[in-house]
Amino acid sequence: MKTTLLGSIGIGLIATSLMAWAQPPFGGEEDIAYAEALWETMKDTNLVGEKRTMSAPYTGQHPHGAILDTMDGEITVEGTTGPVIVKRNYGGEGVSREAVWNDPDQYLGSVTVMFQREGYDPDNNDWFWAKYLPDGSLDTNPEGRPLAGRVAKGMEQGCIACHSTASGDDLVFGHDRFQ
Ligand code: HEC
């Protein structure tokens, strides 16, 4: 009896860890819902959407847009207040800093966001990552998984892997622009 019981607990534990392993660290229902709440808050604070304020566009770096414009601020999402960094990625034919300044909507390809959500991911400075299309829907990876949450924790590519190479220990590249 005893061994059977221990055996089933063992199998249970293995099954649980396999499920944790099989479950990608981002793009689940909770992440999608949170990304929607985040977008709404950013809209209310004029960080995204029609009424968004803009910074001077500058020449970007791969894999972000050819031209970028980055804003930061502090917002509260579902009771958590923290810093947010919003990067607008521009591209397309004829893109230039001037063209973007004159008609941002024409060239806006995506909006990449980092929101520091206390306690969410202590291994990676608690950042919640999201990549939106201009209309606020989430962009997806090649497998169709929405890019929201811990993207892509433990994997060799993705927001976290690349941003881990930023100098300093907070996964932010553009310090000069935000301080
Ligand atoms: C291969 C590397 C790489 C990947 C992958 C990457 N980024 Fe970045 N990211 C950068 C670099 C480099 C900058 C600085 C660009 C600049 O402003 O000139 C940056 C800047 C940013 C910024 C502005 C804050 C900062 O660090 O300067 C945000 C927000 C951001 N990225 C979000 C994301 C999100 C969300 C993802 C995933 C969907 C992502 N990034 C994937 C390299 C990467």
Side-chain angles (χ1 to χ4, degrees), residues 39-179:
W39 182 267
E40 286 309 311
T41 306
M42 292 190 296
K43 211 153 91 178
D44 292 345
T45 49
N46 296 338
L47 286 165
V48 299
E50 272 173 32
K51 294 198 199 122
R52 67 187 184 274
T53 43
M54 222 178 137
S55 69
Y58 57 93
T59 305
Q61 292 177 43
H62 181 79
H64 292 287
I67 304 288
L68 302 173
D69 130 57
T70 305
M71 298 287 296
D72 64 325
E74 192 173 81
I75 55 173
T76 302
V77 183
E78 292 184 353
T80 305
T81 302
V84 66
I85 312 175
V86 184
K87 176 179 290 300
R88 294 76 174 256
N89 304 276
Y90 305 95
E93 207 173 321
V95 73
S96 69
R97 285 186 293 173
E98 200 187 354
V100 166
W101 187 244
N102 290 330
D103 189 0
D105 289 344
Q106 163 95 21
Y107 301 98
L108 186 62
S110 65
V111 181
T112 36
V113 177
M114 296 164 67
F115 174 61
Q116 200 164 41
R117 189 179 163 187
E118 204 183 344
Y120 177 66
D121 186 10
D123 299 339
N124 296 297
N125 240 58
D126 284 338
W127 291 114
F128 179 93
W129 308 81
K131 182 172 183 183
Y132 300 91
L133 298 175
D135 67 358
S137 60
L138 284 167
D139 199 3
T140 56
N141 72 1
E143 285 81 49
R145 182 160 276 273
L147 294 169
R150 302 172 186 89
V151 191
K153 190 170 180 170
M155 299 182 191
E156 279 172 23
Q157 287 185 340
C159 318
I160 293 175
C162 187
H163 275 252
S164 299
T165 66
S167 63
D169 57 5
D170 61 0
L171 288 81
V172 177
F173 280 102
H175 274 293
D176 302 346
R177 272 188 287 279
F178 309 117
Q179 279 169 9

